[in-house]
Amino acid sequence: MLLFNSNFLIIMVLAIAIGGLAQLGIRHANKKYSRVPLASGMTGAQVALRILQSNGIASPDGRTRRGSVGIQQVSGSLTDHYDPSSGIVSLSEGIYGGNSVAAAAVAAHEVGHAIQDAKGYVFGRVRTSMVPAVNFSSRFSMILIILGFFLGGASAIGLGYYALWAGIILYSVAVVFQLVTLPVEIDASRRGMAQLRSLGVLGPDELSGGRKVLTAAAMTYVAGALISLLYLAFYIFMGSNRR
């Protein structure tokens, strides 16, 4: 069985370690720079609005229209995101109303995604187009992989063989999605930091802290992609060596 394979247990330990370190990094950076107030006193929502306005894509009355972007507050922590389908930048409570270096950096990053959308950034469009396929693959890939190993996997051409490799193919879609996500997230941070600098939202001393927050956030995506690649390599190795 898959869960009792020693190699799988090693992969699990590596995945937990990599993911744990990445999460510790982002939490430490957020905690540290959430305590550093902006000299300008601007909140994350105000920073987001300022950047949207400077790029000509802010909604004049807060209502989203084609070609304009709105801002809203959402509950939770680290729940910040941009939804290209609705044109809304969602900022968590601590970011929306916070006036810290971390709040400004995170808000700028999410608006960076809105700028990507407005400018037709290629990788952003590719990632968005992959969402339906990823939702489908994430729902069924592990079911098929576990079923494949349970039924004998690649040990014989049969139901187990086809289930295993169908699951691996579906899982690879999610891996490709995570790999495409990397340049999207890195580019959004680059755009966000450039806006913070050019608009003077962050001073010279504050820019370093903002960059550290976004670098730590980027490492969570790097870790996620690496973990997915490890699992994919393991599934392919196990399937190929059980015939």
Side-chain angles (χ1 to χ4, degrees):
M1 282 290 293
L2 178 62
L3 294 179
F4 297 102
N5 184 282
S6 60
N7 292 325
F8 183 73
L9 293 178
I10 292 172
I11 296 295
M12 283 186 65
V13 171
L14 284 174
I16 292 171
I18 293 170
L21 287 173
Q23 286 299 316
L24 283 175
I26 183 60
R27 292 186 183 279
H28 173 74
N30 270 322
K31 183 177 181 179
K32 179 178 180 179
Y33 291 101
S34 291
R35 297 173 178 172
V36 180
L38 280 182
S40 65
M42 296 176 69
T43 65
Q46 291 171 332
V47 170
L49 180 59
R50 175 78 177 278
I51 298 175
L52 289 173
Q53 289 173 336
S54 70
N55 285 270
I57 54 175
S59 175
D61 55 5
R63 298 180 180 178
T64 56
R65 298 184 179 87
R66 185 175 181 83
S68 67
V69 178
I71 306 168
Q72 69 176 7
Q73 178 177 309
V74 292
S75 60
S77 176
L78 301 178
T79 52
D80 313 273
H81 64 279
Y82 169 69
D83 183 359
S85 64
S86 64
I88 295 179
V89 172
S90 297
L91 302 176
S92 58
E93 297 167 353
I95 301 301
Y96 188 93
N99 63 344
S100 65
V101 169
V106 173
H109 172 86
E110 298 307 333
V111 176
H113 285 303
I115 296 173
Q116 288 175 335
D117 191 27
K119 293 184 179 296
Y121 180 62
V122 174
F123 283 107
R125 289 190 172 186
V126 171
R127 184 176 71 165
T128 299
S129 69
M130 290 183 66
V131 169
V134 172
N135 289 339
F136 178 83
S137 66
S138 61
R139 187 175 296 118
F140 296 106
S141 59
M142 287 310 302
I143 295 174
L144 289 170
I145 288 172
I146 293 173
L147 179 64
F149 277 105
F150 182 78
L151 295 176
S155 59
I157 302 298
L159 181 60
Y161 176 86
Y162 292 115
L164 173 62
W165 285 100
I168 290 174
I169 291 171
L170 287 178
Y171 186 78
S172 67
V173 173
V175 174
V176 172
F177 179 80
Q178 289 193 307
L179 293 175
V180 171
T181 293
L182 288 178
V184 174
E185 295 298 329
I186 292 171
D187 181 75
S189 291
R190 180 188 64 79
R191 292 175 189 266
M193 289 302 300
Q195 293 292 317
L196 293 174
R197 186 185 304 107
S198 64
L199 295 174
V201 175
L202 296 185
D205 295 335
E206 296 171 327
L207 283 169
S208 175
R211 192 173 293 108
K212 290 177 181 177
V213 170
L214 295 184
T215 298
M219 291 308 297
T220 63
Y221 292 100
V222 173
L226 180 58
I227 291 169
S228 295
L229 283 171
L230 284 172
Y231 278 118
L232 179 61
F234 170 77
Y235 297 143
I236 292 174
F237 175 80
M238 289 296 294
S240 299
N241 285 275
R242 293 184 64 189
R243 294 192 67 174

